Amino acid sequence: MLELTLDSVTKKYGKKTAVNGISCTLTRGVYGLLGANGSGKTTLLRIICGILETTEGAVLYGGGAIRSLGARYRRILGYLPQDFGYYPEFTAKRFLLYLAALKAIPKDEAGKKVEELLGLVDLAAYQNKKIKTFSGGMVRRLGIAQALLNNPEIMVLDEPTAGLDPKERIRFRNIINSLSRERIIILSTHIVSDVEYIADEILLMREGQLLAMGDIGHMLEMARGKVWECIVSPEDTERYQAGFNVSNLRNTEKGVRLRIISDDCPVEGAQPVDPNLEDVYLYCVQLKFPSNLTT
Amino acid sequence: MKKNLSVGNKDDCNTAGFGRKAKDFRRKDSNTDEKAAAERLRAAAETLVPEKEKRGDALRQIRKNIHEKTMCQTDRTIPLGNLFVIQLRHISPSFWIIQGILAGSLALLLKKISMDDGALPDYLRWISVLAAWMGVLGCCSLGRHFSQGMAELEQSCYFNLPQLWTIKMTLSGAADVLVLALGSGTIAGKTNLPFGQVCLYVMVPFVLSNICCLLFFTALRGSRNRYGQLVLALMTGLLAAAVSSLPMEAYAKGSLWAWAAVFSGGIGIYLCQLRYMYGKIRRGEIVCWN
């Protein structure tokens, strides 16, 4: 069975702990990794890819440590790094063929796969153009294509939608959705709506720890009854923002409509509303580490 | 007469091409126990004639699925030998151009010194400096993985960064050694010294400059950019020139053991440096610096 297990994974850089004892098991599906900058998402993804060594704990694939599996594990891995580099003088096609060779894909299969993927990410028309002439979004799409080259069982995508315009993001979400049945896809992003649309499960990280893990329904349930809306005068807005965790603010004819995350009713007349994933995120990151949040 | 049947459930490959009859049969049996149903289904299937075209489609679909699965889990890989060819194709053209310029310059300089009736140190000075620069060029080619931000991605591939480094070092090292051996052969011919002895004099500055490159490369991140590489080239060039400016006594036959000792020691240090670098790459220490 396709199963990736993180067993007390810890990574320390000197005295700083970037990832702190994360344990979880991932099976088929899309996992969205959410967390603020510096929360340890990228470090965790690099550990999952076997690029970084853990200080303690291990990542197991099918019961075997990925360190011992070595090339056998890398063979079924597709990775899109956050800082996706490229050789600027390469054309898109040559770049993909180069990576196909590094992924040990035989030449006859590589050619077909490259054509197919360039079409999938809408770069077929630019396949013979040098990458240095590409826009940020095009480079990102090329990055997504290379991650799919070996038809990986495990896909790790670090900020895959960064730099993509809304249309490209929708296209990307559709690609991921169509791929998710057969593999484990782990993606980190700051764009909560991306995760909301495509992730089967969400992993929330803060300060290197796994704060919460569960499906969207479960996550939303966590913040149910903690999200309020009220209308306040423009003069009071600043005071509320300072005193409460305000997730949204909108000017209306009656005043300023605030969306507040709070355990208790923040102000008389505030109405509880259905939470969304952004509310959950804001609710979780302000919490102290509770032990009962993961499922 | 047997009826030509249409496809029942397109997603179910086992029923593709058998059609309504099988489907109806299954519906009828939905409440009976599985074993009996399977038995009856098998018996009914024997009476069915699959529709040729639909069966062809289904088989094609199955073959496609198997092919896709093979791409994922196949044991078929490109042979390591092919990877050398691929790396050779993907090494930046500027690398080969500069390498060619250095080799060409070496040939011209050797010719000029020969025409001027130069002595051994005259030959060695230039060949040592050029050998050092060839080493820098090789190191720069290794550094490209980092300077272009490809190291992290390449480290996650089946053939990972240490393997790529090994291939690149073998390729560029072989090219360097070939050029230097040809140069040494020329010098040996002109100075009437044994070829092995001249090789030793040429290879010592080459090995020392390579040690400097790796040291510089490991210690300073800035060494991976263009300016860092220029500083490196200058530094190793000076080192090589210094080594080749030793007094004539140093080239006496009696001092050969010292050259051999420095050469062996240098190779040892270089291998230790590589081991250290590979360890760092494996742990992700220099791959993930950001």
Side-chain angles (χ1 to χ4, degrees):
Chain A
M1 189 188 165
L2 195 59
E3 194 175 270
L4 191 70
T5 308
L6 276 67
D7 181 16
S8 308
V9 170
T10 300
K11 179 71 189 175
K12 290 179 183 170
Y13 294 106
K15 283 182 184 170
K16 188 184 167 12
T17 305
V19 174
N20 195 355
I22 289 186
S23 294
C24 61
T25 299
L26 313 178
T27 52
R28 280 184 178 85
V30 184
Y31 295 83
L33 195 55
L34 276 178
N37 285 334
S39 60
K41 298 188 301 289
T42 296
T43 303
L44 183 65
L45 294 184
R46 282 169 172 169
I47 289 170
I48 290 172
C49 290
I51 292 168
L52 267 182
E53 211 168 47
T54 56
T55 312
E56 284 162 37
V59 180
L60 310 169
Y61 174 67
I66 60 165
R67 284 268 150 197
S68 327
L69 291 171
R72 274 182 292 157
Y73 176 72
R74 294 198 300 273
R75 182 136 201 222
I76 51 103
L77 180 75
Y79 176 47
L80 172 65
Q82 188 178 30
D83 303 308
F84 173 62
Y86 54 87
Y87 296 120
E89 74 276 12
F90 278 22
T91 62
K93 190 177 178 182
R94 189 178 168 205
F95 181 76
L96 289 183
L97 284 171
Y98 170 67
L99 283 166
L102 298 196
K103 287 169 191 258
I105 301 170
K107 206 178 168 186
D108 50 339
E109 284 180 20
K112 276 187 280 178
K113 197 74 188 167
V114 166
E115 296 280 334
E116 184 192 318
L117 288 172
L118 282 168
L120 187 74
V121 296
D122 209 14
L123 286 175
Y126 305 94
Q127 59 178 303
N128 294 318
K129 294 253 187 279
K130 286 190 175 173
I131 309 175
K132 64 182 173 192
T133 63
F134 282 14
S135 68
M138 287 164 89
V139 170
R140 211 68 197 152
R141 278 188 276 154
L142 188 65
I144 293 165
Q146 68 75 26
L148 287 166
L149 268 171
N150 53 336
N151 207 7
E153 286 181 9
I154 296 171
M155 270 183 85
V156 178
L157 309 168
D158 199 353
E159 305 275 355
T161 51
L164 298 187
D165 64 33
K167 192 181 153 204
E168 286 166 350
R169 270 176 39 213
I170 291 166
R171 193 184 175 88
F172 167 76
R173 291 202 299 237
N174 291 337
I175 293 171
I176 295 298
N177 266 328
S178 67
L179 294 169
S180 63
R181 256 181 290 169
E182 291 274 311
R183 61 203 91 215
I184 297 170
I185 300 176
I186 308 159
L187 58 97
S188 88
T189 179
H190 285 114
I191 304 163
V192 178
S193 65
D194 279 348
V195 172
E196 203 163 12
Y197 277 114
I198 52 175
D200 301 312
E201 292 222 25
I202 294 175
L203 291 90
L204 248 171
M205 278 187 79
R206 192 183 72 180
E207 292 167 29
Q209 286 184 275
L210 190 60
L211 202 59
M213 179 180 171
D215 59 36
I216 290 178
H218 168 80
M219 301 296 266
L220 293 177
E221 210 49 51
M222 276 167 46
R224 194 163 298 285
K226 324 272 187 201
V227 187
W228 310 83
E229 273 193 1
C230 57
I231 293 177
V232 299
S233 64
E235 297 78 42
D236 289 336
T237 308
E238 212 165 294
R239 193 162 54 86
Y240 278 100
Q241 276 188 294
F244 293 102
N245 195 354
V246 177
S247 74
N248 198 20
L249 178 154
R250 187 187 294 166
N251 285 312
T252 64
E253 283 176 6
K254 293 176 188 167
V256 181
R257 183 182 290 273
L258 297 182
R259 192 176 173 96
I260 295 174
I261 294 151
S262 166
D263 283 328
D264 308 309
C265 181
V267 57
E268 208 176 307
Q271 295 294 315
V273 291
D274 285 339
N276 58 34
L277 201 55
E278 269 180 12
D279 301 323
V280 176
Y281 174 75
L282 289 172
Y283 175 68
C284 284
V285 294
Q286 62 161 15
L287 283 177
K288 292 212 184 315
F289 291 105
S291 55
N292 59 345
L293 283 178
T294 53
T295 54
Chain B
M1 198 182 126
K2 283 171 188 169
K3 236 178 174 179
N4 215 6
L5 298 165
S6 62
V7 173
N9 181 358
K10 268 188 184 172
D11 294 334
D12 186 351
C13 296
N14 294 326
T15 60
F18 292 102
R20 205 176 299 129
K21 199 168 173 182
K23 208 171 157 187
D24 292 344
F25 186 85
R26 281 191 305 170
R27 199 178 302 132
K28 199 172 144 191
D29 268 315
S30 59
N31 294 325
T32 62
D33 77 275
E34 272 182 24
K35 207 174 170 186
E39 199 56 46
R40 279 198 294 275
L41 186 61
R42 199 175 303 124
E46 281 167 13
T47 67
L48 300 173
V49 177
E51 197 175 280
K52 234 179 178 178
E53 201 179 313
K54 303 281 184 188
R55 189 178 66 166
D57 285 347
L59 286 173
R60 261 191 298 279
Q61 185 59 40
I62 292 167
R63 269 195 292 271
K64 188 171 168 253
N65 289 344
I66 290 169
H67 176 72
E68 278 171 3
K69 208 69 199 156
T70 309
M71 281 200 64
C72 188
Q73 293 170 339
T74 184
D75 285 330
R76 238 183 110 202
T77 56
I78 56 165
L80 194 64
N82 282 14
L83 198 67
F84 273 86
V85 178
I86 289 157
Q87 275 300 310
L88 205 59
R89 250 196 346 246
H90 287 101
I91 289 178
S92 145
S94 56
F95 171 83
W96 295 116
I97 293 168
I98 300 173
Q99 191 87 347
I101 292 172
L102 289 176
S105 309
L106 180 65
L108 287 174
L109 281 167
L110 291 181
K111 196 168 182 188
K112 187 177 180 311
I113 295 167
S114 157
M115 280 160 67
D116 295 347
D117 288 329
L120 178 69
D122 300 321
Y123 284 108
L124 288 182
R125 192 168 305 123
W126 287 109
I127 196 169
S128 300
V129 172
L130 289 170
W133 286 349
M134 282 178 187
V136 174
L137 187 65
C139 272
C140 293
S141 147
L142 299 180
R144 253 172 72 82
H145 297 274
F146 294 95
S147 60
Q148 304 292 350
M150 280 290 288
E152 195 177 341
L153 181 58
E154 287 169 333
Q155 181 63 359
S156 72
C157 292
Y158 182 83
F159 293 110
N160 63 359
L161 199 56
Q163 287 165 313
L164 297 183
W165 265 39
T166 308
I167 291 169
K168 266 196 175 172
M169 272 191 284
T170 310
L171 289 170
S172 64
D176 292 346
V177 169
L178 184 71
V179 170
L180 294 178
L182 285 172
S184 300
T186 313
I187 297 172
K190 303 281 181 197
T191 56
N192 296 322
L193 284 171
F195 172 71
Q197 193 176 338
V198 177
C199 267
L200 200 57
Y201 296 149
V202 171
M203 292 311 283
V204 165
F206 178 65
V207 171
L208 292 181
S209 67
N210 272 294
I211 291 173
C212 279
C213 287
L214 275 190
L215 192 69
F216 196 60
F217 195 75
T218 322
L220 297 171
R221 243 181 120 174
S223 65
R224 294 168 197 183
N225 62 37
R226 198 163 291 171
Y227 299 108
Q229 286 160 6
L230 279 175
V231 172
L232 189 62
L234 196 68
M235 212 172 73
T236 51
L238 284 172
L239 175 79
V243 171
S244 56
S245 302
L246 292 170
M248 268 314 276
E249 296 81 58
Y251 296 103
K253 222 168 191 173
S255 309
L256 265 181
W257 65 269
W259 285 93
V262 174
F263 179 70
S264 316
I267 293 283
I269 293 170
Y270 188 68
L271 291 176
C272 288
Q273 277 183 314
L274 279 182
R275 197 183 137 97
Y276 175 73
M277 280 288 277
Y278 279 19
K280 269 180 165 293
I281 291 173
R282 202 183 55 246
R283 291 189 296 273
E285 284 169 25
I286 54 170
V287 177
C288 313
W289 247 345
N290 61 322

